[in-house]
Amino acid sequence: QNPLIYKNMVIAASQTEEAGLVAYDKKSGDIIWKTPKLTGSAGYVSPAIVKISGEDHLVMVSASSRDGSSKGAVSGFNPEKGTQLWSYEGWQCVIPVPNVTEIGNNQLFVTGGYRAGGALIQVEKNGSSYTVKEIMTSSKFGTHVHPAILYKGHLYGHCSNNEVQDGFVCMDLEGNIKWETGRKPG
């Protein structure tokens, strides 16, 4: 995972019991804010900034536990204050690595390897609060390391790991697989 530079801050996902995300002043190193422990377990996803209703949201993906005792989440935070704005627990991955892909129109696509697949979610602002609605899920489109690439209404990704060998896959935003290379090339 990589730290995120945002305005005067360096934001790191420590994912510890004491702090889930921490924003440091990028010049002095002083702590500006920190969040409580994140839902779920530590993963490898880097914090990211996306636009929701024209506002910057800091998005973080946490892991579900291997034994099923805790769920991970895709969560949105106010990047200026570190306060949590919304959370979605409908998609689970024990080793999340790829960052979310911003689709536009307040939609985000999250994906992961090891049979986690992917989910398209819509975040909507309602007054001062937010709601999250699941648009689509796919058990077939699960990238292991890299985020999905959005191009002309389709998502592209390398969907192979130790368990699955689907190769490079193209999927539309309704969840329909258009093609996959499989092991040609592997």
Side-chain angles (χ1 to χ4, degrees):
Q1 119 186 181
N2 299 298
L4 171 70
I5 303 294
Y6 179 76
K7 297 186 178 180
N8 65 323
M9 296 175 270
V10 174
I11 301 171
S14 55
Q15 300 182 73
T16 67
E17 294 293 322
E18 294 178 16
L21 296 164
V22 181
Y24 301 93
D25 181 283
K26 70 181 180 184
K27 291 184 180 177
S28 70
D30 294 337
I31 294 175
I32 296 172
W33 56 256
K34 65 180 181 175
T35 70
K37 179 185 184 304
L38 297 176
T39 300
S41 304
Y44 297 103
V45 181
S46 300
I49 297 292
V50 300
K51 289 283 189 198
I52 301 293
S53 298
E55 301 169 351
D56 287 347
H57 283 215
L58 172 63
V59 175
M60 189 61 202
V61 179
S62 58
S64 56
S65 62
R66 289 184 187 277
D67 65 4
S69 62
S70 68
K71 286 186 166 188
V74 181
S75 302
F77 298 86
N78 177 322
E80 301 284 344
K81 301 175 184 176
T83 52
Q84 187 168 335
L85 302 171
W86 54 268
S87 185
Y88 166 74
E89 294 182 7
W91 174 85
Q92 297 294 310
C93 183
V94 296
I95 308 174
V97 180
N99 216 319
V100 295
T101 300
E102 192 170 358
I103 303 299
N105 194 32
N106 299 337
Q107 293 182 350
L108 304 172
F109 183 74
V110 61
T111 184
Y114 304 104
R115 304 190 192 280
L120 179 64
I121 61 173
Q122 175 111 26
V123 181
E124 290 297 336
K125 185 173 185 176
N126 301 311
S128 61
S129 64
Y130 296 85
T131 57
V132 181
K133 180 173 115 180
E134 185 178 278
I135 303 295
M136 168 281 284
T137 62
S138 172
S139 60
K140 191 74 173 160
F141 194 103
T143 64
H144 182 211
V145 177
H146 307 292
I149 297 166
L150 175 66
Y151 181 70
K152 294 185 178 182
H154 291 78
L155 293 165
Y156 298 86
H158 187 254
C159 299
S160 293
N161 58 52
N162 330 26
E163 298 176 348
V164 179
Q165 297 294 321
D166 292 334
F168 202 61
V169 177
C170 173
M171 179 179 73
D172 67 20
L173 297 177
E174 287 77 46
N176 302 306
I177 301 297
K178 297 300 186 177
W179 51 260
E180 60 186 62
T181 61
R183 293 179 179 257
K184 298 177 184 164

